[in-house]
Amino acid sequence: MASVLGWWSKRSRAERFDISLRWPLYFVVACAPLIAVMLVLSDSRPTSTIRAVLFLLVSAAHGVVGVMLMRATLNAYLHRAGPSARLLGTAIALTVAGVALLPDHGVALLLLGGMLTLALSPLPPMVALLGLVVLGAVVAGLVGGPQGAFFYVYGVGIAIVSGRVSAWMLGTGWELDRSRAISTQLAVAEERLRFSRDLHDTLGRNLSLVAVQSELAARLAERGDESAAEQMLAVQRIAHESLREMRAVVDAYRSTDLSSELAGAQSVLRSAGINCRVIGDGSGLPDATQVALAWVVREATTNVIHHSDATSCKIELTADGAQSVLLRMENDGARSERKLNPGNGLTGLRERLAEVGGTLTAEPRPGGRFLLQAELPTT
């Protein structure tokens, strides 16, 4: 049981959704041999043993081919390799063989095989699909009468609606997963653009001024004008001023206040499809404590997005009297391998917090959850 749960927890949300849609359809197709056995055993009319055994063998082969065909048709909805002509021909041939061996029971096989082989495939045009449905209804009518034709058409209709809707939902699930990844990349790119814009606004004017002053100093030096030295000293002052302004921009980027970092983490997580709830406010904490906790929030948010399949996350900030502050960040969708591979980010956070007397713990919790805790003194 633990191995099954571990296998399931390693799957992403899109993979779990895929499995939840695929496997019930596979199960329906795989049940065809069991239905064939029930039909043969429940028939009170005398039937040749050889024909009955052959019919059961054909039903078993039809179930295997049907699962393969179902997998190929669903893959076609995901823009992957669809069913081959050989696979389609094999499924149809087995269906015809089942009807030829035992016509009465073969109608049931035709019902299962025909609707799942033909109705779900996205490859044939709709006109050809309707033609095959009508042909199957005629065959069912000749063998089983009007009742057989009615049940065949009814079964094919259910298969078309349920099967195609399931396949459409499967494709939509994977598309949403790709959109989530793109949203995360866009959020990171937007932050990089903001930082680049701030640097451009800060350094652009000063660098242009350095270029003009340097050119003026060069021309004055060519004429032997003593004021060239003054111009170069001005260039030096502008360079030092630019360096200070650049450091101020970088420090502001690194040392953003904790409240802004919490709001940014909530926005980024929501853009990635993760419901995030923030409890507490760190605006009254000392600047050094806010900087350290802001780094924790930033790194933990990155880990939630890239190393989990989270759907919800809770960030809670509580002050233990006036002595210390505790930051808890808990999310679901934790992958089991994360415990074995904490990464350099958490190691760097521990070292950074240790410098200010803080501690950091990160461990998986029951139910596929992951808890990160950071505790720092406020004095």
Side-chain angles (χ1 to χ4, degrees):
M1 184 65 178
S3 60
V4 174
L5 293 177
W7 171 83
W8 178 259
S9 63
K10 293 179 181 178
R11 305 294 169 180
S12 65
R13 288 189 298 171
E15 290 174 337
R16 294 175 187 176
F17 184 72
D18 187 299
I19 293 172
S20 300
L21 280 179
R22 282 177 181 267
W23 286 18
L25 294 175
Y26 292 163
F27 179 77
V28 171
V29 178
C31 283
L34 299 178
I35 295 176
V37 172
M38 294 173 58
L39 290 173
V40 171
L41 295 179
S42 62
D43 192 359
S44 59
R45 292 171 297 179
T47 303
S48 172
T49 304
I50 296 179
R51 294 173 66 90
V53 171
L54 289 177
F55 176 74
L56 295 178
L57 292 176
V58 169
S59 301
H62 189 278
V64 174
V65 173
V67 171
M68 297 171 60
L69 183 62
M70 178 68 69
R71 181 176 182 273
T73 53
L74 290 178
N75 285 339
Y77 280 91
L78 303 178
H79 307 290
R80 303 171 186 170
S84 63
R86 177 181 298 180
L87 190 59
L88 284 169
T90 303
I92 295 174
L94 290 172
T95 302
V96 173
V99 175
L101 286 170
L102 291 179
D104 293 339
H105 303 325
V107 172
L109 184 64
L110 179 65
L111 179 63
L112 287 172
M115 69 180 182
L116 293 173
T117 300
L118 304 176
L120 279 182
S121 176
L123 300 181
M126 186 57 65
V127 176
L129 180 60
L130 292 176
L132 291 170
V133 171
V134 172
L135 177 61
V138 171
V139 174
L142 293 175
V143 177
Q147 186 178 8
F150 170 78
F151 280 112
Y152 179 79
V153 175
Y154 179 75
V156 170
I158 292 178
I160 293 176
V161 174
S162 62
R164 289 184 178 269
V165 168
S166 298
W168 173 80
M169 291 177 61
L170 184 64
T172 303
W174 281 108
E175 186 65 28
L176 288 174
D177 185 71
R178 288 191 291 269
S179 299
R180 175 193 175 194
I182 293 174
S183 297
T184 303
Q185 295 173 2
L186 289 176
V188 174
E190 183 178 357
E191 182 66 14
R192 289 175 177 173
L193 286 175
R194 185 191 69 81
F195 181 63
S196 300
R197 184 174 60 251
D198 290 345
L199 277 180
H200 176 270
D201 295 341
T202 301
L203 299 180
R205 179 186 63 84
N206 288 348
L207 290 178
S208 299
L209 186 58
V210 165
V212 173
Q213 292 286 99
S214 300
E215 184 178 357
L216 177 60
R219 292 182 179 180
L220 291 174
E222 290 176 356
R223 293 191 308 215
D225 195 329
E226 296 180 355
S227 61
E230 296 180 1
Q231 295 296 328
M232 289 306 301
L233 290 176
V235 169
Q236 184 183 32
R237 287 194 298 271
I238 295 172
H240 285 300
E241 181 182 354
S242 299
L243 183 59
R244 286 193 299 270
E245 291 181 356
M246 183 187 68
R247 287 173 177 172
V249 171
V250 174
D251 289 340
Y253 176 75
R254 290 179 174 177
S255 306
T256 181
D257 64 284
L258 182 57
S259 298
S260 299
E261 195 64 42
L262 290 172
Q266 188 175 39
S267 176
V268 170
L269 290 173
R270 286 179 176 175
S271 67
I274 303 172
N275 182 29
C276 180
R277 184 161 59 102
V278 177
I279 302 174
D281 182 16
S283 57
L285 296 174
D287 292 340
T289 303
Q290 287 199 43
V291 171
L293 291 179
W295 273 102
V296 174
V297 172
R298 185 176 298 173
E299 179 64 27
T301 301
T302 303
N303 288 343
V304 170
I305 293 175
H306 293 290
H307 302 297
S308 75
D309 302 310
T311 59
S312 64
C313 178
K314 183 176 72 171
I315 305 175
E316 186 175 3
L317 190 66
T318 57
D320 184 10
Q323 301 297 321
S324 64
V325 60
L326 178 65
L327 174 69
R328 290 169 52 91
M329 191 163 178
E330 185 175 8
N331 63 275
D332 62 354
R335 300 173 185 170
S336 58
E337 63 267 20
R338 186 175 176 183
K339 179 180 179 181
L340 302 176
N341 186 22
N344 295 326
L346 294 181
T347 302
L349 282 180
R350 289 191 178 93
E351 295 174 354
R352 181 181 293 271
L353 294 182
E355 294 176 357
V356 293
T359 59
L360 178 75
T361 60
E363 58 184 1
R365 308 288 289 181
R369 306 190 67 83
F370 193 88
L371 175 63
L372 183 142
Q373 292 188 128
E375 186 173 5
L376 282 83
T378 56
T379 56

